[in-house]
Amino acid sequence: MSSYPFTAKECVRNRALIVSVGNFYPGVDLNTRSGAKKDTQRLHKLLTKLGFSVTIKMDIESDEIYEAFKTESEKVVKECFVGIISSHGEDGVVFGADGNPAKLATIYSYFGGPSMVGKNKLFLIQACRGHALDGGVEVETDSSSSEEDESISELFSIPIDTAVMYATPSDYSAFMHPLGSVFIQTFCNLLEKDGGPDLEITRLMTRLNHHIAYNFQARGKDFGGKKQMSCFVTRFTRDVFPFLESRTEETKDLSLNFTARELVNEPERSRTNSIT
């Protein structure tokens, strides 16, 4: 279990929290997520370049996930907060390193408090939301009433001026590659392109959906040919340009010059996909 806080100058800045769980305690029946550190490395580098003060927490327990987001929700932020969670999950929950679930509805609800009123909030959730696999065709799925109630509760917990981007729709799996997830890596690709940070957030998320749906196809014996489709929910009531605003800030604080090499050094040895 480790934590990497990156504190900036005393001036108020936009902030990001990355919670990444790639390794689970012995006895927990959840596989190691070998691409999680690659995603974290790239997200840190990108968000720092765009002017965010970034905090990374890796391989923490479910209670610590709650604590990390609650703490962030009570801090002052300039214009925008970005929260990213990468772990195993099911619909409505993500799992801590201890194998216990953390409810997304609870995490979102923290950001309806006074410190976040009028601020832009963006969440990215890289986790499975079920066990179904996308074969690239339109299908209908039935869910129990309890599952529907849980989904509705999660949606109602999203505060105003908030958008949530999911790696996959409800009931479906999300893929993880040793070189990183298609969801996070595509998100970074879009923001690194010329004009990427200038995009209004709903346009950015729509492009992310398009790129994943039409350009990704899993490889390997078990999942070869399977597809993935990200989706998003927004409660923004105006046009929002979170990364354009952040990019204009100066980021000279040497404490942000964290080298991603210290965080991850994984060989490029596998070309097959696994379920996140």
Side-chain angles (χ1 to χ4, degrees):
M1 179 175 64
S2 54
S3 174
Y4 302 87
F6 300 91
T7 57
K9 301 174 183 178
E10 291 300 317
C11 61
V12 177
R13 298 176 54 195
N14 291 336
R15 298 195 322 278
L17 171 62
I18 304 171
V19 171
S20 178
V21 184
N23 300 290
F24 298 85
Y25 292 170
V28 174
D29 190 21
L30 292 170
N31 295 330
T32 298
R33 304 172 64 248
S34 58
K37 288 184 179 179
K38 290 287 188 182
D39 283 346
T40 303
Q41 167 192 335
R42 195 170 180 194
L43 283 166
H44 168 260
K45 181 178 180 181
L46 174 63
L47 291 172
T48 299
K49 184 177 180 181
L50 290 173
F52 284 79
S53 175
V54 182
T55 297
I56 299 174
K57 292 187 177 291
M58 299 188 65
D59 300 340
I60 59 177
E61 298 178 358
S62 60
D63 286 347
E64 293 172 310
I65 295 176
Y66 286 133
E67 181 182 352
F69 280 99
K70 191 174 190 303
T71 298
E72 286 293 326
S73 72
E74 295 170 349
K75 294 180 181 178
V76 177
V77 64
K78 184 179 180 182
E79 296 290 342
C80 181
F81 171 80
V82 175
I84 300 167
I85 304 177
S86 177
S87 184
H88 286 296
E90 294 178 357
D91 205 10
V93 303
V94 293
F95 293 104
D98 55 356
N100 292 325
K103 289 188 176 182
L104 293 172
T106 301
I107 292 170
Y108 301 152
S109 69
Y110 295 150
F111 291 82
S115 297
M116 288 291 169
V117 172
K119 307 301 183 181
N120 303 320
K121 284 84 66 178
L122 174 64
F123 292 90
L124 281 78
I125 311 298
Q126 168 56 42
C128 290
R129 301 177 71 193
H131 304 286
L133 295 173
D134 188 346
V137 296
E138 185 175 340
V139 298
E140 293 185 4
T141 59
D142 293 327
S143 60
S144 66
S145 58
S146 60
E147 290 174 333
E148 291 173 353
D149 290 344
E150 187 72 29
S151 296
I152 292 172
S153 174
E154 182 180 337
L155 292 177
F156 282 153
S157 69
I158 298 174
I160 196 73
D161 296 324
T162 303
V164 181
M165 192 80 195
Y166 295 97
T168 187
S170 179
D171 298 330
Y172 278 84
S173 298
F175 288 100
M176 173 61 76
H177 188 278
L179 298 182
S181 65
V182 61
F183 176 61
I184 297 298
Q185 294 295 320
T186 304
F187 174 77
C188 293
N189 288 344
L190 289 174
L191 283 180
E192 288 175 351
K193 288 183 177 180
D194 288 342
D198 303 338
L199 290 173
E200 197 276 329
I201 190 62
T202 55
R203 292 192 64 190
L204 174 65
M205 293 189 293
T206 300
R207 289 192 185 186
L208 181 57
N209 283 353
H210 175 87
H211 278 266
I212 294 174
Y214 288 97
N215 297 324
F216 171 76
Q217 182 170 293
R219 290 187 254 178
K221 180 180 178 181
D222 294 329
F223 304 114
K226 298 300 181 182
K227 305 284 286 182
Q228 184 173 321
M229 175 68 181
S230 55
C231 62
F232 65 89
V233 178
T234 177
R235 294 199 68 198
F236 284 127
T237 56
R238 62 188 185 281
D239 290 340
V240 174
F241 300 84
F243 302 107
L244 173 63
E245 293 168 356
S246 296
R247 188 179 56 175
T248 60
E249 300 177 14
E250 293 185 1
T251 55
K252 297 180 181 179
D253 189 348
L254 294 179
S255 67
L256 291 175
N257 291 330
F258 172 83
T259 56
R261 290 188 300 274
E262 297 176 9
L263 181 63
V264 58
N265 184 20
E266 297 183 29
E268 300 183 11
R269 59 182 176 272
S270 174
R271 293 289 175 182
T272 61
N273 298 91
S274 62
I275 298 298
T276 189

